[in-house]
Each structure stands twice: as C-alpha cells, then as structure tokens.
Amino acid sequence: MGALRSHFRNEARTLAGLWLYLRRRQDGVDGDAVAVPYGAGGKAIFVIFAVVSLVEAGLFWLIDFGLFADLLLLALGIYSVLLIFGIYAGTVVRPHVISSRELRVRYSSFYDVRIPRENVAALRHAKESHDPLKAKAFRDETWLSHDNYYETNLVAELREPVTVTRPLGKTESVRVVKFHADDPKAAVAAFERLGSDRV
C-alpha cells in the first residue's frame, strides 16, 4: 500500500511541477539559496517521449474499439503526455539547491534529499561516466543519482549517513552522493562562498 501511495504522490507532485513551470516559479529557492540546474541536456528526450505518446494515442484512435474505449484511450494518451512534460518541468522548477543551511539534491518529483550543511565534509567536481548495465542507484553507501544518462559531475562526501527515500517509498542510508549539475564548477564555488559567509 505504501508503494501505491508513493506512486500517486509522485504523480501529484509531477503535475504540480507542471503548474509551477507554467507560472515560471521555482520551488525551494529562497533566502541565500542558489539554484543549481541539472536538466539542460534532457529536454530533447522528453519531447521525443511526448511525441511518441501522442502518436500512440492517435493510432489507437484510428482503430475502432468503440466510442467509450476510444475516448478512454485518448484521455490516457493526453494524461501520459502531461506526465512526461510534468517530469521535465520538475527538473526545471526543482533544481538542486545550495544554501548556508543545506545542500538539497533533487530529481524532478522523485527525489528530494536535504543534507544539513554541517554534515557535508566536501563537495567536489568529479566527472564520471557510469556503465548503465552495471550502475546501481545505491551501492556501498553511495547514492548515484543517474538522471543524466549515467553521467555525474559532483560528489558530496558526508560526515554522517543520511536517509534517501526512493520514489516508491523504500529508504537507503548513504554517506556519499554523486549527482549531476549543468555547471558543476559554479555549484562548488557557491558552496564554498556560502560556507565562508557563515564564518
């Protein structure tokens, strides 16, 4: 039951992300917080998925299943397109966030991990490519956020483990977080600058 509840929560957050996108708002970027975008490379793939879904819905419409079934399939096709655009919108409106209080690592509506600043021993730029056949999201107390074609370029090393909640509710304890940013050097610079401002 928990997994089903998590699934519907993710869908609701996905549609909410689409609403924020249409209003040109970002979630969780306030005070001294710096937004760290990560979705620049993914727009094309989301557009392709949306077009494929629309074509699929159109093909079902051409086959006569009866009016009720045709309308149902059309509605499902439109809903799936909305979800696809919602996931993309979530990568825009829910960026990673660096502030004097925390490091927040996110991916659309699926992950939102808040790490207190004092728990981050180091944040460094390290570009890595991970084999999609071998890469696992969680291994050896490391969370590999492989949302960008299995490419990561930032590594956060933690003093104490934090809990990461998977999209369907299962939790993992991690001490290292590897993730992607469009401009990793700017992210590290912001992390260091906001750290020095606290002293």
Side-chain angles (χ1 to χ4, degrees):
M1 194 63 169
L4 190 61
R5 190 182 309 116
S6 296
H7 171 76
F8 286 119
R9 182 201 63 213
N10 290 338
E11 285 201 7
R13 283 173 51 85
T14 296
L15 295 175
L18 186 58
W19 176 243
L20 286 173
Y21 182 81
L22 294 173
R23 295 173 63 204
R24 299 185 180 196
R25 300 278 179 89
Q26 283 189 320
D27 173 59
V29 185
D30 52 10
D32 66 355
V34 175
V36 180
Y38 56 86
K43 186 174 183 179
I45 196 72
F46 283 111
V47 169
I48 290 168
F49 281 143
V51 169
V52 168
S53 290
L54 281 174
V55 169
E56 183 180 55
L59 289 175
F60 278 127
W61 186 259
L62 293 174
I63 303 171
D64 187 15
F65 290 112
L67 182 60
F68 177 77
D70 286 344
L71 290 174
L72 179 63
L73 289 169
L74 182 63
L76 288 173
I78 292 170
Y79 184 66
S80 64
V81 170
L82 283 175
L83 286 179
I84 290 167
F85 278 122
I87 292 169
Y88 166 71
T91 67
V92 176
V93 303
R94 295 187 183 100
H96 305 311
V97 177
I98 294 172
S99 72
S100 58
R101 302 173 307 279
E102 65 182 359
L103 167 65
R104 195 170 177 182
V105 181
R106 307 196 278 187
Y107 181 67
S108 193
S109 59
F110 302 111
Y111 286 102
D112 189 351
V113 180
R114 302 177 88 138
I115 307 167
R117 174 134 197 147
E118 57 271 16
N119 192 21
V120 182
L123 177 68
R124 57 188 171 82
H125 174 214
K127 188 172 182 180
E128 298 178 22
S129 295
H130 307 278
D131 183 345
L133 297 177
K134 297 178 182 176
K136 291 185 177 178
F138 298 91
R139 176 184 282 172
D140 302 327
E141 292 194 303
T142 297
W143 172 34
L144 172 64
S145 179
H146 47 58
D147 48 84
N148 192 66
Y149 311 108
Y150 296 91
E151 299 278 337
T152 59
N153 54 25
L154 286 169
V155 178
E157 297 172 357
L158 312 183
R159 292 186 171 90
E160 299 291 335
V162 296
T163 300
V164 176
T165 303
R166 292 184 184 226
L168 293 181
K170 186 178 176 184
T171 59
E172 302 282 351
S173 180
V174 300
R175 297 183 75 102
V176 176
V177 177
K178 296 184 178 183
F179 58 107
H180 176 83
D182 294 341
D183 189 345
K185 292 180 181 178
V188 172
F191 180 80
E192 292 174 351
R193 174 175 55 79
L194 288 167
S196 64
D197 289 349
R198 296 181 72 195
V199 180

